[in-house]
Amino acid sequence: MNTKIKPCLRHGKFAVVLIYGLLMFQCTVMAQLTISGIIIDKKAGTPLSGAHLSSGNNSLSAVSDGNGRFRFDRVKPGVIAFRASFIGFKTFNATMTILHDTTLRIEMEGSALLGDEVNIIATRARDKYPTAYSTVSNKEIRTANLGKDIPYLIQTSPSTVVTSDAGNGVGYSCFNIRGTDLTRINVTINSIPLNDAESQGVWFVDLPDMASSTENIQIQRGVGTSTNGAGAFGASVNFLTSDLHQDPYGELNLSGGSYNTFKSTLRFGTGLMTNRFSVDGRLSYIRSDGYIDRAFSNLKSFYFAGGYYGKNTTVKLITFSGFEHTYQAWEGVPKDSLATNRTYNPAGEYVDKNGKTVYYNNQTDNYQQDHYQLLFSQLLTKNWSFSTALHYTKGKGYYENYQANSAFSDYGLDNVIISNDTISTTNLVNRKMMDNDFYGITFSTNYTLPDKLKATLGGAWNRYYGQHYGKVIWAEYATNGDNDRNWYYNTGLKKDFNIYGKASFQVLKKLNLFADLQYRYVSYKMEGTLDNLRTLDQLHLFNFFNPKGGIFFEPGKHHELYFSVGVANREPSRDNYKDADPGKEPTYETLYDYELGYTFRIPGFTLAANAYYMAYHNQLVLTGEINNVGEAVMVNVPNSYRQGIEISTAMEFFRKKITWNLTATLSSNKIKDFTQYVDLYTADWIYTGQQSTSLGKTNLSFSPAVTAGSVITFNPVPQFSFGLNSKYVGKQYIDNTSNEERSLKAYFVNGLFASYSVKTKLFEEIGFNVAVNNLLNRKYETNAWVYPYYLGNTYGESNGYFPQAMINFLVGVSIKI
């Protein structure tokens, strides 16, 4: 084996013998020693950050830091078998007899097999890119993955705020980054777009337990680098699915806890067969009653992947699917119920013939999403690689609603005449259905000249066709039409093409220049009838140019500086168009993003700071304006901005027995000149128009001025760790008026976590995990909506708040074979 491991001893022979004897005596007395060192790329001579080093016979485990360094403390002297692994490199194995404190230098060779990471290099930030990004590792994902949705696995990332409709993180959950919601965050899986083409949103409930098939997650804040799919208006989130496993494996994960939450996951794989082929799979089931009344979730999913790994070629076929059956909880809890009944859920509520308040038991959301990906990567030369992917996503489902006293005319139905009485309303149940197909191709070619140039040319073509239709499946009074009749039907056809080129060029030893140019073409055609019986016939075409550029500078050994400027453009969503009056459709939005960052690194301590200014032109926001049928519309405001500073620190104490990760964001998020519109009604609810009020500079909704997070972890022994995680989110305004009465209070919540693993003769490892959330039993809300109005001269409002669970827990066990 050419891969080398070198003890670094600098003494003459006599000194070595003397020190050897003394150290052996010390080891005998103290029965512990320290092993530290560095892991490098043998060919390039550069450190490998994120390499995994372990020792099966000593239960040692470490991940190399940003400088490729690692450290083991309290190691028993003797024969130690080392194993090191890193994506794109041959697995390293060596056995040594170590009797004293030792420094190792591990040199790893490039793998004889082309790895999965080639598929996502083009859309990810890389070393010396001038952008703010962070990576959630596989270890972090697995430690936190006890049943909660993906948003809760990244909640400690800078500038991130998470919310859950059901209140306990299972079901419909989402996140904001820098105050930007998921309709403005670009999300990809293996560089393939995940955002819905029409709504531009992402619903992780459609992919339950995808975390169990995720290798890592990269989060780029701001415009970031060019990627495929929707425009990045606040962040980009890129998922890499499970990487190649060299050895066969099987794993069963079971967890459960508060609110009858239960999760079971079975993972298995063949390892690398005949040095070329592998098959991996996962089956998952999650259920929970939710914290909010009746907010249950019943979730099923699977993941299968078959791969061919050659020296220069990788081919991987992946299919994954999720089915969700959830009770609706998206109406929220009325504000006046928070003090008396925080779990009240009005969804499906009606009064029966006896005057009793009851709930429709199938007020549910039902959806299945199937994904198919064929990934191909080819190493052309030692410097050139090419990747492409074919993909297809099928989505189909519905949500069901009980509607009391609905007008027949709202459904295009005739009134019912019984004897001499005309009945114009009825209780009914409707279903709003979706059926959509999304497919396309992505590609990239990457060129790397070590220590000189990293260049990428990539792009994608995608086509989406969506059908939206509704049926009345039951009515108290029968009228014309049959049960299979659509009361509305419309379609959306969207085509999206983009091509980009990006390059990082090292002009001097300590100076890199970065350039990134993207062209994106969007065609969006809508036809048919909406659920309010309005005609929807529109065609919109866009040509976007999104340039980015920056510099990366290393003024000293421990210091890094960068500055970047980027532009992003985003087309309006389906809702933005369908809600607008004809002739008053909104225009596209543009973001100008400026980022300035600094990082300081020494062993055991890292400090990173990033200042940003994001200037928006024609950002779409809610102002209270309505269309001609009384529905709220989003309108373009000329000027708005987000500015702030993000700070992250990572500290290690007592030979890495204690680690402390801190993040904090201080920001200001404003609309420069905002006008509010409020509906006016007479005392008997006759609509008379709107009142407009110029408010000048106001705060953007759901954009807290302060967010902070802390994770303190204690590792007294390699097999056991425990810690405390904390999250602070400052006051958030529910709308864009800066009205204190329409705001969410700041909250500070804490949680405990612990994990323990043990190796046995029967199983490779048995692991135990515990998480106690909201340790101090705080009452807090993370999201809300509000509709203000005047009834006569009296102010009133409808609203819904989303309380989060009180103290709760999850316990998990994993068995690996």
Side-chain angles (χ1 to χ4, degrees):
M1 180 180 293
N2 293 324
T3 307
K4 298 179 180 179
I5 183 166
K6 302 177 179 178
C8 299
L9 300 177
R10 302 180 180 179
H11 304 280
K13 294 182 179 179
F14 180 77
V16 170
V17 173
L18 177 61
I19 294 173
Y20 180 88
L22 292 174
L23 289 176
M24 188 169 63
F25 174 76
Q26 179 183 351
C27 290
T28 303
V29 176
M30 302 299 294
Q32 62 183 27
L33 50 86
T34 296
I35 302 174
S36 60
I38 187 170
I39 303 176
I40 67 169
D41 179 343
K42 179 183 177 182
K43 184 175 181 179
T46 55
L48 294 178
S49 172
H52 293 260
L53 183 65
S54 62
S55 171
N57 62 343
N58 285 69
S59 300
L60 304 176
S61 179
V63 178
S64 59
D65 63 17
N67 297 310
R69 298 192 174 277
F70 65 90
R71 183 186 181 104
F72 297 128
D73 294 309
R74 297 184 181 180
V75 181
K76 293 182 179 179
V79 178
I80 300 177
F82 290 99
R83 175 187 174 91
S85 62
F86 190 71
I87 294 175
F89 288 79
K90 294 179 182 178
T91 300
F92 165 83
N93 290 283
T95 301
M96 295 186 65
T97 299
I98 297 181
L99 302 174
H100 50 76
D101 290 351
T102 303
T103 301
L104 304 177
R105 177 184 173 91
I106 297 177
E107 298 179 351
M108 300 188 69
E109 293 183 2
S111 175
L113 303 178
L114 194 63
D116 292 327
E117 81 284 352
V118 177
N119 291 302
I120 51 87
I121 284 176
T123 54
R124 284 199 165 190
R126 300 164 71 182
D127 184 39
K128 298 184 180 180
Y129 272 26
T131 188
Y133 71 94
S134 57
T135 301
V136 183
S137 69
N138 180 264
K139 181 179 180 181
E140 293 173 297
I141 293 170
R142 292 177 65 81
T143 299
N145 186 22
L146 293 176
K148 289 193 174 186
D149 302 328
I150 280 178
Y152 285 84
L153 306 185
I154 67 170
Q155 64 179 330
T156 58
S157 300
S159 305
T160 301
V161 178
V162 175
T163 185
S164 165
D165 285 5
N168 68 325
V170 182
Y172 272 88
S173 301
C174 60
F175 58 82
N176 288 3
I177 298 178
R178 291 186 180 177
T180 303
D181 66 27
L182 273 167
T183 65
R184 286 167 162 79
I185 295 174
N186 174 280
V187 183
T188 57
I189 295 182
N190 299 326
S191 296
I192 293 170
L194 185 61
N195 298 73
D196 178 79
E198 289 194 293
S199 68
Q200 302 183 35
V202 178
W203 291 272
F204 293 106
V205 69
D206 297 335
L207 295 174
D209 201 27
M210 191 63 197
S212 292
S213 298
T214 297
E215 188 67 27
N216 57 59
I217 307 169
Q218 186 183 90
I219 303 166
Q220 299 180 42
R221 301 185 298 280
V223 167
T225 62
S226 289
T227 184
N228 301 314
F233 251 53
S236 300
V237 179
N238 183 285
F239 291 80
L240 173 64
T241 55
S242 297
D243 199 9
L244 170 65
H245 291 260
Q246 297 278 350
D247 302 315
Y249 67 95
E251 183 177 347
L252 175 65
N253 294 284
L254 300 173
S255 61
S258 301
Y259 315 112
N260 290 321
T261 300
F262 173 74
K263 169 181 173 286
S264 62
T265 302
L266 177 65
R267 299 174 65 242
F268 51 87
T270 63
L272 195 61
M273 301 181 294
T274 66
N275 293 321
R276 286 294 181 266
F277 299 92
S278 73
V279 176
D280 298 272
R282 172 183 58 82
L283 301 171
S284 299
Y285 173 71
I286 302 173
R287 72 164 308 277
S288 178
D289 289 345
Y291 170 67
I292 301 299
D293 295 342
R294 304 180 312 285
F296 68 77
S297 297
N298 195 329
L299 315 174
K300 303 172 185 178
S301 68
F302 68 79
Y303 171 95
F304 289 99
Y308 167 81
Y309 296 86
K311 181 177 181 181
N312 298 314
T313 306
T314 297
V315 181
K316 195 167 186 179
L317 177 62
I318 302 173
T319 178
F320 50 95
S321 175
F323 171 77
E324 61 95 358
H325 175 59
T326 57
Y327 196 95
Q328 295 171 23
W330 53 58
E331 292 185 35
V333 178
K335 187 176 183 179
D336 56 10
S337 296
L338 291 175
T340 57
N341 186 5
R342 293 180 59 78
T343 64
Y344 169 61
N345 182 7
E349 182 179 283
Y350 67 98
V351 178
D352 66 12
K353 293 181 179 180
N354 299 319
K356 182 180 178 181
T357 299
V358 293
Y359 297 91
Y360 181 56
N361 62 8
N362 201 39
Q363 190 84 0
T364 59
D365 183 63
N366 307 266
Y367 197 76
Q368 180 167 333
Q369 195 172 83
D370 305 320
H371 295 253
Y372 305 89
Q373 299 180 352
L374 178 61
L375 312 177
F376 172 80
S377 298
Q378 179 69 40
L379 187 64
L380 304 174
T381 70
K382 66 178 182 179
N383 303 112
W384 280 98
S385 66
F386 173 77
S387 296
T388 187
L390 297 173
H391 67 89
Y392 172 64
T393 302
K394 176 66 177 181
K396 189 172 184 178
Y398 66 90
Y399 58 95
E400 192 165 304
N401 298 281
Y402 183 95
Q403 300 287 334
N405 299 317
S406 293
F408 285 115
S409 59
D410 288 344
Y411 295 85
L413 299 172
D414 295 336
N415 293 335
V416 174
I417 299 176
I418 299 177
S419 298
N420 294 323
D421 297 326
T422 298
I423 299 174
S424 60
T425 63
T426 183
N427 299 326
L428 57 80
V429 175
N430 67 44
R431 282 185 177 177
K432 293 188 173 182
M433 306 183 183
M434 296 157 284
D435 189 342
N436 47 68
D437 300 270
F438 177 61
Y439 57 87
I441 183 172
T442 68
F443 71 92
S444 68
T445 179
N446 303 285
Y447 178 78
T448 301
L449 192 61
D451 299 325
K452 289 293 183 182
L453 178 67
K454 297 175 184 175
T456 298
L457 176 66
W461 176 88
N462 301 298
R463 183 183 189 272
Y464 171 93
Y465 182 69
Q467 302 175 77
H468 307 265
Y469 52 100
K471 299 180 185 296
V472 177
I473 64 171
W474 174 86
E476 185 175 359
Y477 295 100
T479 181
N480 60 306
D482 54 58
N483 288 340
D484 198 42
R485 169 185 175 273
N486 292 329
W487 102 75
Y488 72 92
Y489 179 86
N490 63 79
T491 62
L493 174 61
K494 190 170 186 178
K495 299 175 183 179
D496 185 326
F497 168 77
N498 83 89
I499 187 168
Y500 59 84
K502 63 179 75 170
S504 175
F505 181 62
Q506 187 165 326
V507 293
L508 298 172
K509 184 178 180 180
K510 297 182 178 182
L511 179 65
N512 280 64
L513 300 182
F514 176 77
D516 184 340
L517 304 176
Q518 183 193 53
Y519 166 75
R520 182 168 176 246
Y521 168 79
V522 178
S523 168
Y524 185 28
K525 183 179 182 180
M526 293 171 283
E527 294 180 312
T529 304
L530 293 168
D531 58 355
N532 59 13
L533 305 184
R534 288 177 55 205
T535 298
L536 179 69
D537 290 330
Q538 300 179 24
L539 174 63
H540 302 278
L541 303 175
F542 300 94
N543 290 276
F544 294 139
F545 177 56
N546 302 315
K548 310 167 188 71
I551 60 173
F552 185 95
F553 180 56
E554 297 175 278
K557 181 179 179 181
H558 305 295
H559 307 271
E560 297 173 356
L561 285 167
Y562 65 80
F563 174 74
S564 66
V565 180
V567 178
N569 292 279
R570 174 185 179 269
E571 72 277 14
S573 69
R574 176 179 183 269
D575 285 347
N576 299 151
Y577 283 130
K578 76 178 184 64
D579 293 338
D581 289 332
K584 295 183 179 180
E585 293 85 3
T587 188
Y588 65 91
E589 306 166 272
T590 302
L591 167 62
Y592 303 91
D593 182 27
Y594 305 86
E595 307 272 341
L596 175 64
Y598 167 74
T599 302
F600 172 74
R601 287 192 182 95
I602 58 174
F605 179 78
T606 299
L607 170 66
N610 184 77
Y612 63 89
Y613 181 77
M614 303 166 67
Y616 296 86
H617 179 61
N618 285 331
Q619 184 174 191
L620 281 163
V621 302
L622 289 168
T623 64
E625 292 182 71
I626 60 175
N627 58 21
N628 55 20
V629 293
E631 297 172 330
V633 298
M634 296 188 78
V635 300
N636 299 106
V637 294
N639 297 299
S640 55
Y641 65 86
R642 302 181 187 277
Q643 63 182 8
I645 183 169
E646 299 162 323
I647 300 173
S648 302
T649 64
M651 295 170 280
E652 298 172 346
F653 307 97
F654 305 110
R655 295 185 173 183
K656 294 188 178 181
K657 298 305 176 187
I658 300 176
T659 60
W660 189 5
N661 294 286
L662 285 164
T663 64
T665 300
L666 306 176
S667 66
S668 176
N669 310 277
K670 304 288 185 179
I671 299 173
K672 290 187 176 181
D673 189 7
F674 181 76
T675 299
Q676 177 193 19
Y677 293 82
V678 180
D679 288 349
L680 303 176
Y681 296 89
T682 63
D684 51 355
W685 288 103
I686 298 175
Y687 177 72
T688 61
Q690 288 196 304
Q691 172 185 291
S692 64
T693 306
S694 178
L695 301 178
K697 182 180 287 188
T698 61
N699 291 281
L700 282 162
S701 60
F702 302 108
S703 302
V706 181
T707 61
S710 168
V711 180
I712 303 175
T713 305
F714 302 87
N715 291 95
V717 293
Q719 302 93 333
F720 176 61
S721 67
F722 64 98
L724 173 72
N725 58 57
S726 305
K727 187 74 176 184
Y728 175 83
V729 176
K731 179 176 61 180
Q732 302 177 70
Y733 291 98
I734 301 170
D735 61 15
N736 296 300
T737 64
S738 295
N739 189 316
E740 297 294 330
E741 295 300 318
R742 298 198 288 271
S743 64
L744 298 173
K745 295 180 180 179
Y747 58 87
F748 179 57
V749 291
N750 298 270
L752 291 175
F753 61 90
S755 64
Y756 175 74
S757 63
V758 60
K759 297 182 183 296
T760 69
K761 292 182 179 180
L762 182 61
F763 301 109
E764 178 184 335
E765 183 179 274
I766 300 177
F768 302 92
N769 289 275
V770 178
V772 181
N773 307 299
N774 195 4
L775 182 64
L776 301 180
N777 211 31
R778 300 298 189 194
K779 295 181 178 180
Y780 67 105
E781 298 80 44
T782 56
N783 198 9
W785 60 269
V786 63
Y787 167 64
Y789 57 86
Y790 280 98
L791 188 62
N793 294 320
T794 304
Y795 174 83
E797 65 178 46
S798 297
N799 52 53
Y801 287 69
F802 294 86
Q804 302 302 287
M806 308 297 285
I807 185 171
N808 62 94
F809 72 93
L810 291 168
V811 178
V813 60
S814 63
I815 302 173
K816 298 180 183 180
I817 59 174

